[in-house]
Amino acid sequence: MKHTVLAVIFATAIAAPAFTKVAFAEDAVCYNCPPEWADWASMLKALDEQAGITMPHDNKNSGQTLSQMIAEKASPVADVAYYGVTTGIQAIKEGVVQPYKPAGFDEIPDGLKDPEGNWFAVHYGTLGMFVNVDALAGAPVPQCWADLTKPEYKAMVGYLDPASAFVGYAGAVAVNQAFGGDLTNFDPAIKYFNDLAANSPLVPKQTSYARVVSGEIPILFDYDFNAYRAKYNEGGNYEFVLPCEGTIRVPYVMSLLADAPHAEAGKKALDFILSDEGQAIWTNAYLKPARPVELPADVAGRFLPDSDYERAVAVDYAAMAAAQAAFGERYLSEVK
């Protein structure tokens, strides 16, 4: 069921009768909710103003978050956590989260949530091509993964090292799926990267947003939100291409911690984050909401059409995580 969101992009405070400001805000602690990422700044402000929940800023990354949760398992400090999907899966194994299904949980697509509610996507990114059109030297904007092996894109393609960077590995999973592989068979990905090697690709180990913006890397395997950020914030000629063969979604997820000291406040925060109003806030950072909320036309127009996004699928993220190390070793030994 879709819902109309009465919001505009870059809104930082959204009227929401269901989330009335209370007289005294309730405190909750979120690990890894940094204001400079994914527009958590607006989310934290909206939680305070609309839901009456105050949460301090926290600049951990996913790995640091899980480590802290494990260290504090006997006496938890945090109430909720935000991290990459594979970290959420590991948190279940470590016994540091508990099931909770906020309002709207049932509308999150299968594959983007733990069925029991131990983690669930709040937004997601989609792997594709981040293209600096002006740096293509007259070559057409590629539309398919296969296009990148053509001679006209020689020395123009970049992807993060899939043996060391998660986004690089996610790109490998995407091309592997696109050419008929699965998480038990990475032969298509190995073949693709060897074919691409003939085009002298650039393979950095760290995030390369600035190198695409500058034109040093004209085409990069990357998330849609980075390409949209460049397109609408940098003032240049940038595009996001969702490859014709298909790709994968990569969710960012949240959990309620086991024995959370302020569990009710944590639950209330998660309810707001999955509400229509909360979901709209993520679009400030060009992230796709986890729920199929209907966005205003001016907001939706900043993304590729929904029909294009139908080519992006969820995968078994637990199996994806389990296969990562072995694929990295194989990539290093077999890709020339």
Side-chain angles (χ1 to χ4, degrees):
M1 176 180 179
K2 291 188 176 181
H3 304 270
T4 300
V5 180
L6 301 179
V8 294
I9 200 156
F10 301 122
T12 57
I14 304 170
F19 293 94
T20 304
K21 175 73 173 177
V22 294
F24 299 98
E26 305 171 55
D27 290 328
V29 175
C30 174
Y31 278 171
N32 190 24
C33 52
E36 69 281 358
W37 164 253
D39 203 20
W40 265 105
S42 292
M43 181 62 76
L44 294 173
K45 181 178 180 181
L47 279 164
D48 182 29
E49 296 180 352
Q50 305 299 325
I53 302 293
T54 59
M55 292 198 303
H57 299 172
D58 185 83
N59 289 313
K60 295 178 181 65
N61 61 31
S62 293
Q64 292 167 339
T65 292
L66 182 58
S67 295
Q68 194 78 14
M69 291 162 60
I70 294 170
E72 297 167 351
K73 185 175 180 179
S75 183
V77 173
D79 304 294
V80 298
Y82 166 86
Y83 30 42
V85 61
T86 54
T87 307
I89 292 167
Q90 186 62 34
I92 300 176
K93 298 177 182 178
E94 298 292 345
V96 291
V97 295
Q98 63 175 305
Y100 180 62
K101 298 180 179 180
F105 177 89
D106 290 344
E107 295 176 21
I108 300 173
D110 291 342
L112 299 183
K113 60 189 175 185
D114 169 58
E116 303 303 317
N118 287 291
W119 59 263
F120 46 85
V122 294
H123 55 73
Y124 64 88
T126 298
L127 252 295
M129 305 175 202
F130 173 13
V131 181
N132 183 328
V133 179
D134 290 340
L136 293 179
V141 175
Q143 297 301 310
C144 304
W145 295 119
D147 290 342
L148 302 183
T149 63
K150 296 177 179 178
E152 58 259 48
Y153 300 109
K154 189 174 183 65
M156 290 187 180
V157 180
Y159 61 88
L160 269 65
D161 182 351
S164 62
F166 179 78
V167 64
Y169 174 56
V173 172
V175 298
N176 190 61
Q177 300 261 128
F179 293 107
D182 59 36
L183 294 168
T184 65
N185 172 24
F186 278 91
D187 289 349
I190 296 297
K191 180 182 184 304
Y192 179 82
F193 284 119
N194 275 317
D195 290 344
L196 192 59
N199 255 1
S200 304
L202 300 165
V203 189
K205 292 184 179 297
Q206 297 178 336
T207 182
S208 297
Y209 176 86
R211 296 176 71 180
V212 181
V213 170
S214 70
E216 180 186 352
I217 301 177
I219 305 164
L220 181 70
F221 291 23
D222 204 355
Y223 294 119
D224 54 350
F225 53 81
N226 280 329
Y228 295 140
R229 171 186 165 198
K231 181 173 183 175
Y232 297 112
N233 294 10
E234 300 289 350
N237 190 7
Y238 308 99
E239 295 293 341
F240 175 67
V241 176
L242 205 157
C244 68
E245 302 97 339
T247 188
I248 66 169
R249 300 173 178 176
V250 179
Y252 292 80
V253 309
M254 294 192 73
S255 302
L256 180 69
L257 270 65
D259 300 318
H262 311 99
E264 293 308 308
K267 290 177 182 179
K268 191 174 179 182
L270 295 173
D271 286 342
F272 179 80
I273 288 167
L274 272 193
S275 71
D276 287 5
E277 296 79 16
Q279 289 283 278
I281 290 172
W282 301 125
T283 65
N284 296 357
Y286 310 106
L287 290 150
K288 295 283 284 187
R291 288 179 48 241
V293 296
E294 185 175 341
L295 299 171
D298 59 336
V299 176
R302 291 176 174 252
F303 296 90
L304 291 177
D306 288 344
S307 57
D308 284 0
Y309 275 97
E310 290 175 1
R311 299 197 297 276
V313 300
V315 298
D316 182 336
Y317 298 104
M320 179 177 169
Q324 183 171 1
F327 173 78
E329 292 175 3
R330 188 175 175 193
Y331 172 85
L332 290 173
S333 66
E334 296 185 35
V335 175
K336 308 284 188 293

